[in-house]
Amino acid sequence: MKTDKKKQAMQFILLFGLVSAFGDITYEGARSIYGPYLGFLGASAATVGLVTGIGEFLGYALRLVSGYFVDRTKLYWPVTILGYGLLVSVPLLAIAGDWKIAVVFIMLERIGKAIRSPAKDALLSHATKQVGTGFGFGLHEAMDQIGAFIGPLLFTAGLALHGGYALGFQMMWVPALLTVAVVIFTSLKYPDPAQLEERVTLHKEDSALGPQPLSRSFWRYSVFSFFCVLGFASFQLISYHLQVKDVLPEALIPTLYALSMGVDAGVALFVGKLYDKKGMRVLLAIPFLSLPIPFFGFSESYALAITAVVLWGAVMGIHETIMRAAIADMTAISARGRAYGIFNTIYGVAWFLGSTAVGYLYDFNLTFVFGFIVVAQTIALGCFYIFQNSARKNE
């Protein structure tokens, strides 16, 4: 029985990985060019930073509502399908002739991600318990990032063939529709993924008790994550810098994003397995890897820009794998959608504040960008020390 459940869990993770791969071809392909595209339409660096920040804020803050909603209603699949359906806003960017119109479509895509993410992560968490949460989320993230690697390359091809942005966005209709089709198929094949998780009887009893409180470790972990993300330079601002300073040809920017997504995929599998063996200590890599990114990314050196992109992809791989796996390990099943919603709201607030601050500081003085990020990551290191000490005392 356990072997059958493990096999079903792997099949579920692989199917959901396929959903995420098609989804990432769609929206990560577009995200690779958001900065230059908004600049092409007339937006300033401050505007790009603000739009990026607001988009990420909506993409995470609305998960608080979505997370509470799915925990209360148990409508995990309908909410997930609705969220993926909003991916159609990406190919619609082809008709945007003004940066303000483009912003509307960008926000719709981010809102769709906010709607589906807590439900999707809660569904996925059940299957990962059979294979190891770190490995399960790492495998899903690796497949996810295969799509994120392909998407920017499609945009590069579109720019090379047509010399403009419209073709790249129009090409996104195919993966967007495939995403919706596969997620509907997965929902029909696995209508109740909670049955894949071990100790189902215990979880049913846990659900009967109603919503469970979130632990102190969860909140300390969230504070640490907040400062890690606050001091994390966004790819959109780095790519904006590379464009306006003519560090590299505009058509290569999506290729660099694809490179970062490839690194993300490789790191996800590695750190997922490492997390299952070493635990939370793996998270210490985030502030140390994040610190050099702005110094390299906002330089005018081609080689340093590539280094920054590689580091950025590695950090994102850790963010997307371990940060999600840790929530599944910290929370009761009845509170998991809510926990993902709260955590992702905190994550989104940090991304909004950090991205907006870095955008404005970039226009003012680049030295202040470096100072801001160093301070944020230093605080994150202190928070990690407190978090680890409290975790040891509770063991």
Side-chain angles (χ1 to χ4, degrees), residues 351-374:
W351 196 293
F352 167 69
L353 294 176
S355 184
T356 302
V358 171
Y360 277 99
L361 291 173
Y362 178 93
D363 279 340
F364 183 69
N365 190 314
L366 198 55
T367 303
F368 288 98
V369 171
F370 301 146
F372 176 81
I373 289 176
V374 168

Short mmCIF file of all heavy atoms in Angstrom, two decimals, residues 351-374:
data_model
loop_
_atom_site.label_atom_id
_atom_site.label_comp_id
_atom_site.label_asym_id
_atom_site.label_seq_id
_atom_site.Cartn_x
_atom_site.Cartn_y
_atom_site.Cartn_z
N TRP A 351 9.02 41.77 -1.21
CA TRP A 351 9.42 41.98 -2.61
C TRP A 351 8.99 43.36 -3.09
O TRP A 351 9.74 44.05 -3.77
CB TRP A 351 8.79 40.89 -3.49
CG TRP A 351 9.44 40.78 -4.85
CD1 TRP A 351 9.41 41.71 -5.84
CD2 TRP A 351 10.24 39.70 -5.33
NE1 TRP A 351 10.11 41.26 -6.93
CE2 TRP A 351 10.64 40.05 -6.65
CE3 TRP A 351 10.63 38.47 -4.80
CZ2 TRP A 351 11.43 39.20 -7.43
CZ3 TRP A 351 11.41 37.63 -5.59
CH2 TRP A 351 11.81 38.00 -6.88
N PHE A 352 7.77 43.78 -2.72
CA PHE A 352 7.27 45.09 -3.11
C PHE A 352 8.15 46.20 -2.53
O PHE A 352 8.59 47.11 -3.25
CB PHE A 352 5.83 45.26 -2.63
CG PHE A 352 5.32 46.67 -2.69
CD1 PHE A 352 5.10 47.29 -3.90
CD2 PHE A 352 5.09 47.39 -1.52
CE1 PHE A 352 4.65 48.60 -3.96
CE2 PHE A 352 4.64 48.70 -1.57
CZ PHE A 352 4.41 49.30 -2.80
N LEU A 353 8.40 46.14 -1.21
CA LEU A 353 9.20 47.19 -0.57
C LEU A 353 10.63 47.20 -1.10
O LEU A 353 11.18 48.27 -1.39
CB LEU A 353 9.20 46.98 0.95
CG LEU A 353 7.86 47.15 1.66
CD1 LEU A 353 8.00 46.81 3.14
CD2 LEU A 353 7.34 48.58 1.50
N GLY A 354 11.21 46.02 -1.25
CA GLY A 354 12.58 45.95 -1.72
C GLY A 354 12.73 46.41 -3.16
O GLY A 354 13.62 47.19 -3.50
N SER A 355 11.86 45.93 -4.04
CA SER A 355 11.93 46.29 -5.45
C SER A 355 11.68 47.78 -5.66
O SER A 355 12.37 48.44 -6.45
CB SER A 355 10.92 45.47 -6.25
OG SER A 355 11.03 45.73 -7.62
N THR A 356 10.69 48.32 -4.95
CA THR A 356 10.39 49.75 -5.06
C THR A 356 11.55 50.59 -4.56
O THR A 356 11.96 51.57 -5.20
CB THR A 356 9.11 50.09 -4.28
OG1 THR A 356 8.02 49.31 -4.78
CG2 THR A 356 8.76 51.57 -4.43
N ALA A 357 12.11 50.21 -3.40
CA ALA A 357 13.23 50.96 -2.83
C ALA A 357 14.44 50.92 -3.75
O ALA A 357 15.07 51.96 -4.02
CB ALA A 357 13.59 50.39 -1.47
N VAL A 358 14.77 49.74 -4.28
CA VAL A 358 15.93 49.62 -5.16
C VAL A 358 15.72 50.41 -6.44
O VAL A 358 16.65 51.05 -6.95
CB VAL A 358 16.23 48.13 -5.46
CG1 VAL A 358 17.29 48.00 -6.55
CG2 VAL A 358 16.69 47.41 -4.20
N GLY A 359 14.49 50.42 -6.98
CA GLY A 359 14.21 51.20 -8.18
C GLY A 359 14.43 52.69 -7.97
O GLY A 359 15.06 53.36 -8.80
N TYR A 360 13.93 53.22 -6.86
CA TYR A 360 14.11 54.65 -6.58
C TYR A 360 15.56 54.98 -6.24
O TYR A 360 16.09 56.01 -6.68
CB TYR A 360 13.18 55.09 -5.44
CG TYR A 360 11.78 55.42 -5.91
CD1 TYR A 360 10.75 54.50 -5.78
CD2 TYR A 360 11.50 56.64 -6.51
CE1 TYR A 360 9.47 54.78 -6.24
CE2 TYR A 360 10.22 56.93 -6.97
CZ TYR A 360 9.20 56.00 -6.83
OH TYR A 360 7.94 56.29 -7.29
N LEU A 361 16.21 54.13 -5.47
CA LEU A 361 17.60 54.37 -5.12
C LEU A 361 18.51 54.28 -6.34
O LEU A 361 19.51 54.99 -6.43
CB LEU A 361 18.05 53.36 -4.06
CG LEU A 361 17.42 53.52 -2.66
CD1 LEU A 361 17.80 52.37 -1.75
CD2 LEU A 361 17.83 54.86 -2.03
N TYR A 362 18.14 53.43 -7.30
CA TYR A 362 18.91 53.31 -8.54
C TYR A 362 18.90 54.65 -9.29
O TYR A 362 19.93 55.10 -9.80
CB TYR A 362 18.33 52.20 -9.41
CG TYR A 362 19.02 52.03 -10.75
CD1 TYR A 362 20.06 51.12 -10.90
CD2 TYR A 362 18.62 52.77 -11.87
CE1 TYR A 362 20.71 50.97 -12.12
CE2 TYR A 362 19.25 52.62 -13.09
CZ TYR A 362 20.30 51.71 -13.21
OH TYR A 362 20.93 51.58 -14.43
N ASP A 363 17.73 55.29 -9.38
CA ASP A 363 17.63 56.58 -10.06
C ASP A 363 18.38 57.68 -9.30
O ASP A 363 18.82 58.66 -9.90
CB ASP A 363 16.16 56.99 -10.20
CG ASP A 363 15.48 56.29 -11.39
OD1 ASP A 363 16.21 55.83 -12.29
OD2 ASP A 363 14.24 56.23 -11.41
N PHE A 364 18.50 57.49 -7.98
CA PHE A 364 19.13 58.52 -7.14
C PHE A 364 20.64 58.35 -7.08
O PHE A 364 21.41 59.23 -7.46
CB PHE A 364 18.52 58.47 -5.74
CG PHE A 364 19.04 59.54 -4.81
CD1 PHE A 364 18.73 60.87 -5.01
CD2 PHE A 364 19.86 59.19 -3.74
CE1 PHE A 364 19.23 61.86 -4.15
CE2 PHE A 364 20.36 60.16 -2.89
CZ PHE A 364 20.04 61.50 -3.10
N ASN A 365 21.08 57.19 -6.58
CA ASN A 365 22.52 56.93 -6.45
C ASN A 365 22.72 55.43 -6.24
O ASN A 365 22.18 54.86 -5.31
CB ASN A 365 23.09 57.72 -5.26
CG ASN A 365 24.61 57.68 -5.23
OD1 ASN A 365 25.21 56.63 -5.40
ND2 ASN A 365 25.24 58.84 -4.99
N LEU A 366 23.51 54.83 -7.09
CA LEU A 366 23.70 53.38 -7.05
C LEU A 366 24.34 52.92 -5.74
O LEU A 366 24.10 51.80 -5.28
CB LEU A 366 24.57 52.94 -8.24
CG LEU A 366 24.55 51.45 -8.62
CD1 LEU A 366 23.12 50.97 -8.85
CD2 LEU A 366 25.40 51.23 -9.86
N THR A 367 25.13 53.78 -5.12
CA THR A 367 25.78 53.42 -3.85
C THR A 367 24.75 53.09 -2.78
O THR A 367 24.94 52.18 -1.96
CB THR A 367 26.68 54.57 -3.36
OG1 THR A 367 27.65 54.86 -4.38
CG2 THR A 367 27.40 54.20 -2.08
N PHE A 368 23.62 53.82 -2.79
CA PHE A 368 22.58 53.59 -1.81
C PHE A 368 21.89 52.24 -2.03
O PHE A 368 21.40 51.61 -1.09
CB PHE A 368 21.55 54.72 -1.84
CG PHE A 368 22.06 56.00 -1.26
CD1 PHE A 368 22.56 57.00 -2.09
CD2 PHE A 368 22.07 56.23 0.11
CE1 PHE A 368 23.04 58.19 -1.57
CE2 PHE A 368 22.54 57.41 0.64
CZ PHE A 368 23.03 58.40 -0.19
N VAL A 369 21.86 51.78 -3.28
CA VAL A 369 21.32 50.45 -3.59
C VAL A 369 22.15 49.39 -2.89
O VAL A 369 21.63 48.49 -2.22
CB VAL A 369 21.31 50.18 -5.11
CG1 VAL A 369 20.95 48.72 -5.39
CG2 VAL A 369 20.32 51.11 -5.80
N PHE A 370 23.48 49.50 -3.02
CA PHE A 370 24.38 48.54 -2.39
C PHE A 370 24.21 48.54 -0.87
O PHE A 370 24.14 47.49 -0.24
CB PHE A 370 25.83 48.84 -2.77
CG PHE A 370 26.10 48.82 -4.25
CD1 PHE A 370 27.04 49.67 -4.81
CD2 PHE A 370 25.42 47.93 -5.08
CE1 PHE A 370 27.30 49.65 -6.17
CE2 PHE A 370 25.68 47.90 -6.45
CZ PHE A 370 26.62 48.77 -6.99
N GLY A 371 24.15 49.74 -0.28
CA GLY A 371 24.01 49.86 1.16
C GLY A 371 22.71 49.24 1.66
O GLY A 371 22.69 48.53 2.68
N PHE A 372 21.62 49.50 0.94
CA PHE A 372 20.30 48.98 1.32
C PHE A 372 20.31 47.46 1.36
O PHE A 372 19.81 46.83 2.31
CB PHE A 372 19.25 49.49 0.33
CG PHE A 372 17.87 48.94 0.55
CD1 PHE A 372 17.03 49.47 1.51
CD2 PHE A 372 17.41 47.87 -0.22
CE1 PHE A 372 15.75 48.96 1.72
CE2 PHE A 372 16.14 47.35 -0.02
CZ PHE A 372 15.31 47.90 0.95
N ILE A 373 20.87 46.84 0.33
CA ILE A 373 20.87 45.39 0.24
C ILE A 373 21.79 44.75 1.27
O ILE A 373 21.44 43.72 1.88
CB ILE A 373 21.25 44.96 -1.19
CG1 ILE A 373 20.08 45.30 -2.14
CG2 ILE A 373 21.60 43.48 -1.26
CD1 ILE A 373 20.32 45.03 -3.59
N VAL A 374 22.93 45.36 1.53
CA VAL A 374 23.84 44.83 2.54
C VAL A 374 23.18 44.84 3.92
O VAL A 374 23.26 43.87 4.69
CB VAL A 374 25.16 45.63 2.57
CG1 VAL A 374 25.98 45.28 3.81
CG2 VAL A 374 25.98 45.35 1.31
#
